[in-house]
Amino acid sequence: MTLTSTGRIDVHHHYLPPAYFDGLQPHSLCSYTSLSDIPAAIKDTHPPGGFNNPNWSPSISTEFMAAHGIATVIFSVSTPGLDVMTAEQSVPISRQCNEYGAQLRDSDPSRFGFFAMIPDPIEYPQAAVDEIAYSLDHLKADGVCLLTRYGKGNAYLGHEEYRPLWDALDARNAVVFIHPSNPADLNIINPALPAPIIDYPHETCRAAVDMVVSNTLSSHPNCKIILSHSGGTLPYLALRVASILPFILKGMRLPPKSTEEILDELKNFYYDVALGSGDLVLPFLTKFAKPGHVLFGSDLPYAPRPTIDFFTGNLDEYEKGLSEEERFAIDRGNALELFPRLQES
């Protein structure tokens, strides 16, 4: 038996639980025949170009797993999450989605896991903390999925209003999977460039740096945080950020951080390679991230299947030049450190 014979662990793999799919349908742009028919409230809460609910079923995931040597997927709900729903919808739907995830996990624990979803922690802070407690303590979720930003404001994950959320996660040594959401400014720049193409990678970078500047990371050291899509633009802007921020912090009379401290915090994130793998990206990412912090991810089913196959194929080609131990680390070994229950399955 080789090191890779037990298969990849996909930490960036989405699903649409029935309660979420049904709750999202009235807000999906596919429900309208023309732009003029779309209510203003829906236009205001969605990225340029809008979104349609992708087709998903457990069989779609298992077929993809077989095609790409994936042994286990950790399911998560993607953007827009529950942001477009009212409290009366979002609080019970988050509970129903998490219970669905637990049932799916229990049907085959070696193949399925899930990151819990929460209602908007800005609008419903206590409900969000309660859902974290229920999901991690009772349902035994593999972690929690957070979006980079919630609501219509500019409160990214380092905002002080998220402090109770991070306290609850830190107390449970939680794995936190961060997925980009829509930017605060939804003005259409180019209809051919919806938010996921350009804005999402920037949003990941913005949220990550916000957590560093606000000391969210340093004050919650027990959280293990995964950034999507090879960290978006973060690895490539890290030196720029780390070399300038100390002077900005000093000028604002905020707690000081050195360039070395900032870089250390940025490198301490975990990075999944969904839609961000290949011989142009991976050599830099594996050099930038701390050892053991690069993870396999696919982004099924939101990206077009040919795009996902393209990036996964890029990873396959790149890994041909790695040692067996290096391949195993990216495909499975690093994730096993985050999800030790999979070592026993």
Side-chain angles (χ1 to χ4, degrees), residues 44 74 194:
D44 290 344
I74 311 294

Side-chain angles (χ1 to χ4, degrees), residues 4-344:
T4 54
S5 64
T6 48
R8 287 166 163 159
I9 297 174
D10 187 350
V11 304
H12 190 146
H13 194 110
H14 299 302
Y15 68 163
L16 287 90
Y20 178 65
F21 184 87
D22 292 343
L24 206 58
Q25 279 299 92
H27 306 280
S28 174
L29 299 192
C30 66
S31 303
Y32 302 93
T33 57
S34 69
L35 287 175
S36 61
D37 294 332
I38 302 172
I42 293 178
K43 288 182 181 178
D44 290 344
T45 56
H46 291 85
F51 74 95
N52 289 319
N53 299 326
N55 186 29
W56 177 84
S57 67
S59 63
I60 288 176
S61 288
T62 54
E63 181 275 325
F64 177 79
M65 293 166 69
H68 290 290
I70 299 168
T72 307
V73 298
I74 311 294
F75 289 115
S76 59
V77 169
S78 186
T79 307
L82 301 172
D83 246 9
V84 296
M85 303 178 197
T86 64
E88 290 75 16
Q89 294 174 302
S90 65
V91 174
I93 287 177
S94 64
R95 176 63 55 88
Q96 293 167 35
C97 289
N98 293 332
E99 291 182 336
Y100 176 83
Q103 292 170 3
L104 196 58
R105 185 266 323 278
D106 291 344
S107 71
D108 198 340
S110 66
R111 302 189 74 192
F112 302 135
F114 76 104
F115 291 118
M117 72 182 308
I118 61 170
D120 185 333
I122 295 293
E123 293 293 328
Y124 323 114
Q126 189 56 54
V129 171
D130 290 344
E131 197 58 37
I132 287 174
Y134 179 77
S135 297
L136 295 180
D137 299 346
H138 178 68
L139 297 179
K140 306 301 180 184
D142 292 291
V144 173
C145 177
L146 298 181
L147 302 180
T148 47
R149 183 186 65 83
Y150 289 87
K152 295 183 178 181
N154 59 357
Y156 287 82
L157 291 177
H159 195 281
E160 61 183 8
E161 290 193 48
Y162 295 107
R163 176 71 58 168
L165 186 79
W166 286 111
D167 289 345
L169 293 166
D170 191 69
R172 292 168 172 81
N173 300 297
V175 176
V176 181
F177 172 68
I178 294 179
H179 194 278
S181 185
N182 308 326
D185 183 357
L186 295 177
N187 287 316
I188 295 176
I189 305 301
N190 184 334
L193 293 175
I197 296 181
I198 300 295
D199 295 287
Y200 279 18
H202 290 327
E203 291 298 286
T204 297
C205 179
R206 188 185 300 276
V209 174
D210 189 53
M211 287 187 282
V212 171
V213 172
S214 63
N215 291 315
T216 298
L217 293 187
S218 58
S219 60
H220 297 90
N222 296 321
C223 293
K224 302 171 186 66
I225 303 172
I226 303 171
L227 300 181
S228 300
H229 310 126
S230 293
T233 56
L234 177 62
Y236 317 102
L237 296 178
L239 283 175
R240 178 186 178 99
V241 169
S243 64
I244 298 174
L245 264 183
F247 299 98
I248 295 176
L249 296 176
K250 181 178 179 180
M252 297 178 67
R253 298 183 178 180
L254 294 173
K257 282 182 183 287
S258 67
T259 294
E260 293 73 23
E261 289 171 329
I262 294 169
L263 278 176
D264 185 70
E265 290 192 46
L266 295 177
K267 292 182 176 186
N268 200 44
F269 286 110
Y270 289 79
Y271 296 84
D272 80 53
V273 300
L275 306 186
S277 57
D279 58 1
L280 297 179
V281 177
L282 288 170
F284 182 81
L285 180 63
T286 54
K287 184 177 180 180
F288 173 76
K290 288 186 177 180
H293 282 225
V294 177
L295 310 166
F296 175 76
S298 69
D299 214 348
L300 193 84
Y302 277 83
R305 177 62 184 269
T307 300
I308 297 172
D309 291 339
F310 170 78
F311 278 105
T312 307
N314 281 348
L315 178 62
D316 292 339
E317 287 299 313
Y318 175 76
E319 289 186 334
K320 290 178 180 179
L322 302 181
S323 69
E324 188 174 22
E325 289 76 13
E326 290 170 329
R327 290 196 303 273
F328 177 74
I330 294 174
D331 288 346
R332 183 175 182 86
N334 295 340
L336 287 177
E337 296 299 316
L338 293 180
F339 310 108
R341 74 170 181 85
L342 296 176
Q343 298 179 14
E344 305 166 0

